[in-house]
Amino acid sequence: MLPLITIKQFLNDLRRQKLRSLLTMFGIFWGSCAIVLLFAFSKGLGDAQLKSSKGMGDNICIFWPGLTSKEYKGLSKGRRIWPTEEDIELLKNTAVTIGRISPEFRRWSQFIKYNKSLTRSPVIGVWPEFGLMRNLIPDIGSRFINNIDQTERRRVVFIGNILKNDLFGSESAVGKQILINDVPFTVIGVMKEKKQDSSYGGRDSRIAYIPSSTFRNMYSTRYLSNFVTQAAADFTMEDTKQEIYNIMGKKYQFDPTDTQALGTWDTTEMFTFLKNFFLAFNYFLVGIGITTLITGAIGVSNIMNVVLEERTKEIGIKMALGAKKSMILSQFILETFLVTGIGGILGFLFAWLIITLIPYMNLEEYIGVPQINLQVGFLVTVLLGMVGFLAGIFPARRAANLQPVQALKLF
Amino acid sequence: MIIMHDIIKTYITGQVTFQALRGINLHIKKGEFVAIVGPSGSGKSTLMNIAGCLDIPTRGSYLLDGKQVSAFNSNQLAEIRNKKVGFVFQAFNLLPYATAYENVEVPLLFAGVNRRKRKERITRLLGQVGLAEKAANKPTEMSGGEMQRVAIARALANEPDIILADEPTGNLDSKSGQQIVNIFHELWKMGKTVLIITHDSNIAGRVERIIQLKDGQIENSHSPAAV
Ligand SMILES: Nc1ncnc2c1ncn2[C@@H]1O[C@H](COP(=O)(O)OP(=O)(O)OP(=O)(O)O)[C@@H](O)[C@H]1O
Ligand SMILES: [Mg+2]
């Protein structure tokens, strides 16, 4: 019987005290919505940032020919160190810390022709691993250079998506013949469009990739423009770099600590920075979140306090009319739970709605794809609920513990 | 019906203790119509609140209908307030956001009366106090006299044996006050025990017995004719 009475009471009171309930609900609603959105957008932004910084490759290090900067075993400094494909084979076969490696031969601004379309773009010769390291993902129905292309020195080419558009437009490219400096090549693959926020030697989307064996044959070259490597699992890029300096230093007689002998660009450092940055950013958000929560909590308890006078009197009246302490309390508990619960759930749903609609607004480029963090949403809702609950229940408890006359006279 | 023995009520405000009731001995029989009078601050409201179980005495024993109320816990006291006594305040104490109907309904809800019975009872009570047409009005839409009549209907909701009223006409003009007094008179005739605090000699003239308080003690107790 008791719960029923309480519910009837509760519904009556809720209906009558619309403004207060609405304000409280709105406080909770806004708090949970704002925090859920905040975290969702930050996650989306972070992911987008990480994804586009991985556009050039995932934890790779690029090595360039360099000049020695230290004297070594009687040899002067300033000697040019210019690796060849054979060195890369040596590294691949002997270095245990290398996961993947590929040479990169480059010629800038080569004539590329298909029917009447003519354009100029860089041509590079690489190994099959290159595509994996540098996130050159073939579009559907196409592939990257493979080992057979490499050993048979096939005249096949994998082209960036923009280069493909320049040459073919909307026409399909795979299987067609193009001319690179008047030498015919068969297109075997087109790169899937990707985000790339850093590069060396041109944007991947504008490059023509051919097997390094074919490249050397065509351009009669021995020396690499650079080479790219990825550390083996269980090793850091530091280990890999050191081993490469050791092996190359031994072969070319330079000091293995001479980092000028081969120039490097270690993108893992950038990732570490990005990761740290977003970690810091997340702490910042947690700070904002907590502040929002506190503001919301103060708002909610303020609303509760504004009506404390009225409510205490109400409790006094009800007790004078025979309400038991448990009835008063269960009504308040139910009321605060419902108000904060509805507020929290609505806030969460509203945030969810916004996040569901965002992808239709074509803003991905600027803000990424926001993602709801369920734990954060849950935590916020629970925390705000608890604050509202405590703010509602303590005055009620205090009033219910008084004699009816005291509650009636309190204000 | 009401037997008080050596009731003492002490208020402590900061460092100051104040004895509002200093040994009250009181016996009110079933069906009596009693007025409590006395100067302001003499302890009338304090006594009435204890009689209505809205407050507890600091010391002393209070027997209500043969039950030792001074030993009751808060739930038992709530039960008494709900069913045994009906309390009418000078300041009405209606729920401001509820209609006349809903205000009368409150004690019925606490008593667990079903919907049909509630409706029947409320309609009858509002009719009895002459407010059948005002059932849907909120306190702000009623006159003082009407609010007090709603409060009386509410006090009668669970058909208590005892009606306690603390200056029920104090906030009303003489005409509305007269109406209220008539209602109490009728209730007494119907067999209820009625206790009323008043400054109004008009009311005091119509009761069976007048209890005069002074400085927290009963100065004398007599019939109105003796004044
Ligand atoms: N909660 C309280 N704390 C301290 N003192 C109180 C409290 N309630 C009442 N008193 C004091 O107790 C005394 C009796 O108060 P009470 O309200 O019973 O007087 P009363 O006879 O009803 O007066 P009035 O005719 O003005 O209503 C007064 O002096 C009052 O100041
Ligand atoms: Mg008084």
Side-chain angles (χ1 to χ4, degrees), chain A residues 56 60-64 198-200 263-268 270:
Chain A
M56 193 180 80
I60 56 173
C61 183
I62 303 131
F63 288 76
W64 281 277
S198 50
S199 69
Y200 60 93
T264 56
W265 180 16
D266 184 351
T267 66
T268 59
M270 187 170 72

Side-chain angles (χ1 to χ4, degrees), chain A residues 73-202:
Chain A
K73 292 189 176 168
L75 293 167
S76 67
K77 55 183 179 183
R79 282 180 304 123
R80 185 163 289 280
I81 305 300
W82 212 319
T84 63
E85 192 166 13
E86 286 68 40
D87 298 335
I88 307 307
E89 253 142 34
L90 173 73
L91 286 170
K92 186 185 166 85
N93 295 333
T94 57
V96 291
T97 60
I98 289 179
R100 292 188 181 118
I101 191 163
S102 166
E104 205 173 337
F105 295 93
R106 176 178 294 101
R107 286 289 181 279
W108 300 97
S109 198
Q110 303 298 295
F111 287 102
I112 311 218
K113 227 175 117 181
Y114 173 71
N115 284 348
K116 292 198 178 78
S117 326
L118 174 71
T119 183
R120 297 169 75 124
S121 72
V123 172
I124 66 174
V126 295
W127 288 0
E129 281 99 319
F130 187 82
L132 295 172
M133 281 188 285
R134 295 272 276 90
N135 278 336
L136 306 172
I137 299 161
D139 226 334
I140 318 155
S142 71
R143 65 173 179 87
F144 195 67
I145 297 157
N146 65 22
N147 284 322
I148 305 166
D149 300 331
Q150 173 71 6
T151 48
E152 293 186 356
R153 284 189 215 153
R154 284 185 179 167
R155 286 206 307 276
V156 291
V157 63
F158 178 89
I159 55 179
N161 51 306
I162 293 183
L163 177 56
K164 182 259 170 193
N165 276 345
D166 289 351
L167 292 172
F168 294 92
S170 57
E171 198 182 322
S172 83
V174 177
K176 307 266 165 66
Q177 292 262 317
I178 61 172
L179 299 176
I180 300 179
N181 288 344
D182 291 328
V183 180
F185 276 79
T186 305
V187 179
I188 52 165
V190 177
M191 186 182 85
K192 200 168 155 182
E193 190 183 342
K194 69 174 177 181
K195 279 208 158 55
Q196 180 181 4
D197 65 359
S198 50
S199 69
Y200 60 93

Side-chain angles (χ1 to χ4, degrees), chain B residues 40-41 43-46 90 166-167 197 199:
Chain B
S40 181
K44 303 183 297 290
S45 296
T46 308
Q90 179 176 356
D166 187 346
E167 293 189 51
I197 295 178
H199 285 297

